[in-house]
Amino acid sequence: MKGRGIDNGGESRSGPCKSSSSSSVVRRKVCSCGEEVVLFKSNSANNPGRMFWRCPNWNKQSNCNFFRWADGEMAQLQYSRFEDCHYYEEEIEELKGKVTKLRRKLAHERLKVKAAVACLIFTLVITMGVSVYAMMNFEGMKKSM
């Protein structure tokens, strides 16, 4: 989950959340209850601006009380966000290509539907014409009898 400086009762949400690795790049974190932990920024008098991780179930009726200061992780987090942005830029370009292909396919399918409707209308008109002609001939044959 990502967010920016949203006031959250004296805290603000601030960034990515999930993983259980402690390597050189901050990865997403998961708490023991299985939820993604969320990065907050403290607005308290004792720790103004200090970043910390907390489980979203922390203040709900839950036994989960995961809390950890994010000291020292902020530079790594910024690098991680940069990598995320680069990944998403590539993904966006790929999705734009897919959207273009789908729009072309949709336009082609619409033409096929229009052609099928035109054929159906043509068939109905011919069928009705033949039916009317047959009925007129039948009436003419009845009168000549």
Side-chain angles (χ1 to χ4, degrees), residues 23 29 50 88-89 99 107 130:
S23 67
K29 300 176 185 330
R50 193 172 179 192
Y88 290 123
E89 286 172 355
V99 166
V130 168

Side-chain angles (χ1 to χ4, degrees), residues 5 7 9 19 21 24-25 28 30 38-39 50 60 64 79 84 114-115 118 125 129 132 135:
D7 188 5
S19 182
S21 173
S24 62
V25 174
R28 300 185 189 274
V30 177
V38 181
L39 184 63
R50 193 172 179 192
K60 296 179 183 170
C64 188
Y79 179 75
D84 285 348
K114 286 180 182 179
V125 168
V132 168
M135 287 173 61

